[in-house]
Amino acid sequence: MAPTLLLLPGDGIGPEVMAEMRKVARWFDRHGLSFEIEEDLVGGCAFDAHGQAISDATMERALRADAVLLGAVGGPKWDGVPYEVRPEAGLLRLRKDLGLFANLRPAKCFDALADFSSLKRELVEGLDILIVRELTGGVYFGEPKEIRDLPNGEKRAIDTQVYDTHEIERIAAVAFELARVRQGRVCSMEKRNVMKSGVLWHEVVTRTHRERFADVELSHMLADAGGMQLVRNPRQFDVIVTDNLFGDILSDVAAMLTGSLGMLPSASLGAPDPETGRRRALYEPVHGSAPDIAGQGRANPLAAILSFAMALRYSFDAGEAADRLERAVELVLADGLRTADLTGPGGGAAISTAEMGDAVVAALDRAG
Ligand code: NAD
Ligand code: IPM
Ligand code: MN
């Protein structure tokens, strides 16, 4: 039976980039990799339809799917909706209820884009780092999380940063395992100088390394210094492992090193099933719904398309197909084709979201 893909296009440019990803999936369908494709609502569009950012029925489909592919959620239209049902809550529920604790955010600088980076070409040429972000814990989900009324008439806002040993250990193990098939180096980032969760994070990562992954090189950095090093000398890193909030911020920083936020894919993975070894998985671009350009055909669909390549690699054991898709993206960029986010002063004319998708599909034929 063909594996099922659940597409959740979402809001803003989500449906626009998802349409291009679908073209790519169809190409693979014509070339021997079939998928059963389903589609559903998440985010603001789900709120409009059912008053919830994701419905229980959609959650059930997501739990059954072999992989979920998401566009993006959110936008100013839903600024006024209650916090519990805001669009982003749908994405967070997917991550939490599917147990997707490991978020892989690779930041690779394609040769043809080195001049679009906000850093000088010589700093980013050949850049290939992987941020491994913890995704189901930390301050995103810690309780209490509330705004309280105080007797003096003020309010107090509380978010809680919590990490248990096993949560740190399993994300560290993912980072070490991935480093083994890359350059063999992991840098762990936390704030142990001000946060108890940082103290435990440092301790558990160090122990996990000593007991199980001593063949990998481990270094530690305070997360603020890590942010500085990412823009000072990003190529010093191979794998970075960090918590949910630092990972969110550091991956947006890393995105700009590659030229555009529209280039960064991600994979969110659960623990392997003890019987089948399969992991629950969701693939999505790192960028959001980009309300400023939504509906104009200007979005870069490559982050979404490269997220599909990650799905081929991590969910469908189709590494060669993933390589081929990544090569097709490289070919298109080498041909000088660019969406508007990648045409600076002196750059050529921009092509549309759909034209970029078509170009990748055409390049797949010659990327073999
Ligand atoms: P954003 O990533 O949507 O946009 C930031 C900037 O990058 C904008 O100028 C946008 O035009 C540009 N950009 C982003 N993706 C692009 C692409 N593919 N091609 C060309 N340009 C692109 O971040 P934001 O503006 O801070 O957030 C907008 C909304 O998206 C918010 O509601 C936020 O919560 C949500 N969001 C969702 C996700 C997600 O669904 N995974 C991720 C981040 C933000
Ligand atoms: C991301 C986004 C999400 C996050 C939001 C939309 C909930 O910024 O995936 O990077 O903060 O994790
Ligand atoms: Mn983010």
Side-chain angles (χ1 to χ4, degrees):
M1 236 174 63
T4 33
L5 289 180
L6 176 63
L7 307 191
L8 300 174
D11 310 316
I13 64 167
E16 300 172 42
V17 298
M18 187 64 89
E20 305 315 307
M21 202 215 67
R22 201 188 249 277
K23 286 181 188 166
V24 168
R26 263 195 240 116
W27 185 92
F28 281 101
D29 201 47
R30 287 196 302 275
H31 292 78
L33 276 179
S34 312
F35 300 103
E36 195 69 50
I37 296 185
E38 300 179 0
E39 194 171 319
D40 214 327
L41 302 176
V42 68
C45 58
F47 173 80
D48 290 344
H50 328 286
Q52 277 181 305
I54 190 162
S55 71
D56 292 345
T58 309
M59 272 311 304
E60 268 167 39
R61 288 176 102 176
L63 283 159
R64 277 199 310 269
D66 291 291
V68 179
L69 288 126
L70 188 131
V73 295
K77 180 178 174 199
W78 301 280
D79 276 351
V81 308
Y83 182 82
E84 287 64 32
V85 292
R86 73 201 187 286
E88 291 77 4
L91 176 56
L92 295 176
R93 178 169 178 205
L94 275 165
R95 291 173 178 172
K96 189 70 175 176
D97 290 4
L98 297 181
L100 309 174
F101 69 90
N103 184 210
L104 280 41
R105 298 190 158 187
K108 233 174 141 159
C109 183
F110 286 88
D111 260 359
L113 297 186
D115 290 321
F116 289 92
S117 170
S118 45
L119 296 187
K120 298 185 198 80
R121 168 180 271 277
E122 55 269 30
L123 289 178
V124 296
E125 249 175 342
L127 179 79
D128 179 5
I129 60 186
L130 175 65
I131 296 183
V132 176
R133 168 189 179 195
E134 200 290 325
L135 202 62
T136 50
V139 75
Y140 274 65
F141 296 99
E143 295 286 345
K145 187 178 196 67
E146 62 184 28
I147 299 177
R148 268 184 210 164
D149 289 313
L150 296 179
N152 66 2
E154 286 195 24
K155 289 180 187 291
R156 174 174 295 162
I158 305 175
D159 291 286
T160 308
Q161 164 87 347
V162 201
Y163 273 109
D164 292 356
T165 305
H166 76 273
E167 295 178 283
I168 304 171
E169 201 174 313
R170 66 186 180 180
I171 193 69
V174 168
F176 288 127
E177 274 159 15
L178 288 165
R180 277 183 176 153
V181 294
R182 293 172 49 95
Q183 299 165 44
R185 291 181 292 119
V186 170
C187 180
S188 167
M189 296 187 186
E190 30 59 21
K191 283 279 290 175
R192 66 185 180 284
N193 52 349
V194 286
M195 296 166 81
K196 287 289 187 181
S197 57
V199 172
L200 185 66
W201 184 280
H202 181 269
E203 199 179 297
V204 175
V205 172
T206 304
R207 181 168 44 76
T208 306
H209 173 250
R210 192 181 58 238
E211 291 175 357
R212 297 169 55 195
F213 299 99
D215 54 306
V216 176
E217 191 184 311
L218 170 65
S219 59
H220 299 274
M221 242 180 229
L222 296 173
D224 53 348
M228 181 274 283
Q229 290 294 344
L230 261 178
V231 293
R232 192 185 76 91
N233 174 22
R235 276 185 315 213
Q236 70 186 282
F237 298 111
D238 177 21
V239 176
I240 292 171
V241 64
T242 190
D243 79 7
N244 204 342
L245 182 61
F246 295 143
D248 181 42
I249 296 168
L250 295 172
S251 59
D252 265 29
V253 172
M256 276 323 290
L257 308 179
T258 72
S260 168
L261 192 47
M263 292 300 300
L264 234 71
S266 84
S268 305
L269 307 175
D273 181 286
E275 270 163 36
T276 62
R278 304 234 6 258
R279 293 171 181 271
R280 287 233 161 80
L282 179 146
Y283 301 87
E284 56 170 330
V286 168
H287 65 73
S289 58
D292 54 336
I293 58 165
Q296 302 171 27
R298 288 174 60 198
N300 183 346
L302 294 178
I305 287 172
L306 290 167
S307 299
F308 185 71
M310 292 188 86
L312 291 170
R313 197 180 301 288
Y314 292 106
S315 283
F316 302 114
D317 206 18
E320 274 177 30
D323 288 344
R324 183 176 187 138
L325 179 50
E326 285 165 3
R327 260 194 321 272
V329 169
E330 219 168 312
L331 283 172
V332 164
L333 293 171
D335 285 347
L337 298 177
R338 308 273 185 267
T339 39
D341 51 316
L342 289 167
T343 52
I351 60 170
S352 71
T353 308
E355 284 167 331
M356 182 56 96
D358 292 340
V360 173
V361 169
L364 274 167
D365 290 326
R366 57 191 166 107

